[in-house]
């Protein structure tokens, strides 16, 4: 899809031009239309409707175009939260007009807001998704003896109840034969609190949404126990808008969706540059942001795909499992009309809707093996400190050779990324569980995945990442 993008300008310039304010609670001057946007700076699969969108000033630019064309003046207020729950609370109170959050919080949002017509929301776009569910994961302390989710029976697990990470935990425990209500003790904690509890061994595991699992693993504070992709159920983040606000100011919703398309195009075209912008805006390490926002990571595609909506409908039972929530009519909640309108003149909505291909993938020529990078299931990247961008690797062996060559030349390797050999989840190669099977080196996100492979391939043997780098031929 080719989208017309606005040239990014400094946020301060955009705000000054649009007469916008970032101060929470500021009243808009008389004759000015105000829009309050709730987002989660550290939930980096919502960046095209949050951190990146805000940093690039796309929404302010779009609204300024309306003003320049003789329309009203507009003021944007950005409110940053750690999870989707407070955004929903503010939407119920009619204090946030547009918000972004994960799939399970979206269910709660739709359920909680529908009792009041002024607060009632609708799902208008997707920010990012993973077709198998890898956006949510369970991590454990590095010294934990657990090898699979079943080993957590009877333990305390930290999760933000009502979050996407909690929703995945409930599904995963159920599949593992553990009653999520009685088989473990779930502590309802904010991600930062849970991370501290995990590090101090107050809990046996933490189940959270991006980017918390990757961050804790990258900081050597945890190891991955369960990859949400094992569920093989799509997970996504999306944008909700208050229907009453959209009815009163349809041009603002159109400007927001057009700006989201601008941000999506920028991220897919320049993922490394986008990761740097998001890292600065969120306070997360760029290595962690790029894990999820880089090629082969999250699929950033705004369309409301049937596969995502079907999974969304199946998730409705989750509402009943955590409390007394009103029934939610998903078909009525999901509204693609505004996004289709925003697509006008910018691309083919139905073609993008039907596509299941990640818009961003590793491409180019592998400089070590000297071959084109063509297989997304094998392709990885090596980020050498000081380089303009990570270099592509055609497959795990080529990647291991590239790391060895860089280190032999005295260079520092900042991060290495590869897809899991079983599930395809993009992960840190140096944090993966490695096996050698003949001449092949295979990375897995979890020990459980490696164990499954070994059970079917008797000749496969465990190796460490450092062993793999040293031993690989070539």
């Amino acid at each position: 899809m080719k989208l017309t993008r606005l040239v990014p300008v400094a946020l301060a310039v955009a705000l000054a031009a649009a007469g916008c304010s970032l101060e929470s609670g500021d009243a808009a001057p008389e004759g000015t239309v105000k829009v309050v946007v709730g987002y989660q700076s550290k939930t980096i699969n919502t960046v095209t409707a949050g951190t990146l969108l805000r940093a690039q000033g796309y929404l302010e630019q779009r609204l300024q175009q309306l003003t320049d064309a003789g329309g009203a003046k507009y003021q944007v207020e950005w409110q940053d939260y750690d999870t989707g729950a407070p955004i929903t609370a503010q939407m119920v109170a009619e204090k946030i007009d547009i918000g972004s959050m994960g799939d399970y919080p979206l269910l709660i949002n739709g359920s909680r807001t529908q009792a009041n017509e002024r607060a009632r929301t609708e799902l208008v776009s997707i920010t990012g998704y993973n077709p198998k569910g890898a956006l949510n994961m369970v991590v454990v302390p590095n010294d934990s003896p657990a090898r699979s989710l079943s080993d957590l029976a009877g333990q305390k697990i930290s999760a933000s109840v009502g979050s996407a990470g909690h929703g995945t935990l409930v599904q995963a425990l159920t599949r593992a034969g553990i009653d999520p209500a009685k088989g473990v003790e779930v502590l309802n904690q904010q991600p930062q609190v849970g991370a501290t509890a995990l590090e101090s061994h107050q809990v046996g595991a933490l189940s959270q949404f991006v980017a918390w699992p990757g961050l804790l693993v990258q900081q050597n504070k945890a190891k991955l126990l369960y990859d949400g992709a094992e569920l093989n159920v799509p997970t996504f983040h999306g944008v909700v808008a208050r229907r009453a606000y959209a009815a009163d100011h349809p041009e603002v919703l159109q400007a927001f969706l057009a700006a989201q398309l601008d941000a999506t195009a920028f991220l897919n075209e320049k993922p490394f540059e986008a990761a740097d912008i998001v890292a600065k805006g969120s306070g997360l390490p760029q290595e962690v942001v790029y894990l999820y926002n880089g090629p082969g990571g999250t699929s950033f595609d705004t369309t409301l795909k049937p596969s995502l909506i079907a999974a969304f409908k199946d998730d409705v039972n989750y509402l009943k499992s955590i409390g007394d929530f009103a029934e939610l009519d998903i078909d009525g909640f999901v509204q693609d009309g505004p996004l289709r309108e925003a697509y006008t003149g910018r691309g083919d909505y139905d073609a993008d809707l039907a596509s299941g291909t990640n818009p961003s993938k590793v491409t180019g020529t592998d400089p070590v093996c000297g071959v084109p990078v063509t297989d997304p299931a094998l392709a990885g990247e090596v980020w050498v400190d000081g380089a303009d961008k990570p270099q592509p690797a055609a497959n795990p062996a080529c990647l291991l050779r590239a790391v060895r060559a860089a280190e032999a030349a005295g260079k520092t390797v900042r991060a290495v990324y590869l897809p899991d050999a079983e599930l395809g989840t993009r992960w840190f190669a140096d944090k993966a569980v490695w096996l050698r099977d003949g001449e092949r080196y295979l990375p897995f996100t979890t020990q459980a995945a490696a164990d499954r492979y070994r059970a079917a391939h008797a000749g496969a043997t465990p190796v460490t990442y450092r062993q793999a780098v040293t031993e690989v031929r070539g």
Side-chain angles (χ1 to χ4, degrees):
M1 171 179 77
K2 294 184 179 179
L3 300 175
T4 302
R5 291 194 293 108
L6 298 173
V7 178
V9 297
L11 179 58
V13 175
L15 293 174
C20 301
S21 169
L22 297 182
E23 296 300 322
S24 178
D26 283 356
E30 186 176 351
T32 298
V33 176
K34 182 177 180 180
V35 56
V36 182
V37 181
Y39 75 111
Q40 303 168 63
S41 63
K42 288 181 171 57
T43 305
I44 54 177
N45 289 305
T46 64
V47 296
T48 54
T51 309
L52 181 63
L53 179 64
R54 177 179 180 177
Q56 295 297 87
Y58 289 137
L59 176 56
E60 290 80 4
Q61 293 172 49
R62 289 283 177 180
L63 292 172
Q64 185 62 39
Q65 287 181 346
L66 296 176
T67 301
D68 293 343
K73 291 183 179 180
Y74 297 90
Q75 176 177 318
V76 182
E77 180 180 312
W78 296 89
Q79 295 186 6
D80 186 9
Y81 297 91
D82 292 325
T83 64
I87 296 176
T88 291
Q90 291 293 83
M91 296 187 92
V92 169
E94 303 173 39
K95 293 182 179 180
I96 285 181
D97 307 306
I98 300 173
S100 56
M101 59 194 74
D103 41 13
Y104 290 96
L106 285 167
L107 283 175
I108 296 174
N109 181 282
S111 176
R112 289 292 194 204
T113 61
Q114 63 181 310
N116 176 2
E117 280 302 316
R118 294 294 302 175
R120 193 182 184 100
T121 59
E122 58 189 18
L123 177 61
V124 294
S125 69
I126 301 300
T127 55
Y129 76 94
N130 183 282
K132 292 185 177 180
L135 303 186
N136 309 306
M137 295 174 166
V138 180
V139 294
V140 295
N142 285 318
D143 59 358
S144 171
R147 294 177 70 94
S148 70
L149 201 67
S150 298
D151 296 326
L152 297 182
Q155 296 194 37
K156 294 180 180 179
I157 302 176
S158 175
S160 302
V161 174
S163 73
H166 180 241
T168 289
L169 177 65
V170 169
Q171 283 203 55
L173 288 173
T174 300
R175 287 200 187 184
I178 299 173
D179 185 336
K182 300 178 181 179
V184 297
E185 182 181 352
V186 176
L187 302 186
N188 184 14
Q189 298 175 325
Q190 290 288 86
Q192 307 96 310
V193 176
T196 300
L198 184 78
E199 193 174 0
S200 60
H201 289 76
Q202 296 175 38
V203 296
L206 176 141
S207 182
Q208 281 294 355
F209 47 83
V210 295
W212 289 98
L215 175 64
L216 293 172
V217 170
Q218 190 261 351
Q219 293 177 332
N220 294 316
K221 295 179 178 179
K223 63 182 178 181
L224 188 62
L225 178 74
Y226 183 83
D227 182 345
E230 285 190 37
L231 287 174
N232 197 27
V233 175
T235 53
F236 64 90
H237 292 71
V239 175
V240 281
R242 286 197 301 112
R243 296 188 184 209
Y245 183 88
D248 292 341
H249 306 291
E251 80 286 0
V252 175
L253 180 56
Q254 280 302 300
F256 185 91
L257 293 173
Q260 187 191 345
L261 290 171
D262 295 333
T264 302
F266 179 79
L267 186 149
N268 284 328
E269 292 169 13
K270 299 180 179 180
F272 193 58
E273 183 178 338
D276 180 52
I277 294 169
V278 171
K280 291 173 180 174
S282 66
L284 292 167
Q286 188 177 351
E287 294 89 340
V288 174
V289 176
Y290 194 64
L291 169 69
Y292 297 106
N293 289 184
T298 302
S299 293
F300 284 93
D301 179 337
T302 60
T303 60
L304 294 151
K305 299 185 182 299
S307 60
L308 302 183
I309 305 309
F312 199 43
K313 290 180 178 179
D314 288 340
D315 292 341
V316 169
N317 287 331
Y318 169 73
L319 290 177
K320 300 174 183 177
S321 75
I322 64 171
D324 183 21
F325 287 92
E327 292 289 340
L328 180 62
D329 174 14
I330 299 297
D331 290 327
F333 181 56
V334 177
Q335 297 292 325
D336 68 354
L339 183 59
R340 284 182 178 275
E341 184 178 346
Y343 251 76
T344 303
R346 299 170 58 104
D348 187 335
Y349 181 85
D350 287 317
D352 289 347
L353 183 70
S355 175
T357 302
N358 192 328
S360 180
K361 61 183 179 180
V362 181
T363 59
T365 299
D366 184 319
V368 174
C369 289
V371 296
V373 178
T374 59
D375 189 348
L378 298 175
E381 293 183 291
V382 178
W383 179 1
V384 177
D385 194 28
D388 293 336
K389 60 182 180 180
Q391 68 186 49
N395 55 54
C398 292
L399 180 137
L400 294 169
R401 289 175 56 191
V403 171
R404 186 173 63 199
E407 293 177 343
K411 299 177 181 179
T412 299
V413 177
R414 286 188 60 173
V416 195
Y417 309 96
L418 266 179
D420 170 272
E422 179 192 44
L423 302 170
T425 302
R426 177 174 163 96
W427 196 238
F428 295 113
D430 59 326
K431 306 299 183 184
V433 179
W434 285 85
L435 297 178
R436 182 178 60 238
D437 191 357
E439 295 295 318
R440 294 193 303 155
Y441 288 86
L442 304 167
F444 298 89
T445 55
T446 65
Q447 185 64 56
D451 289 345
R452 286 192 293 271
Y453 184 89
R454 290 189 68 193
H457 302 81
T461 58
V463 292
T464 66
Y465 167 70
R466 295 311 320 174
Q467 282 180 293
V469 170
T470 301
E471 298 173 358
V472 66
R473 292 188 179 183

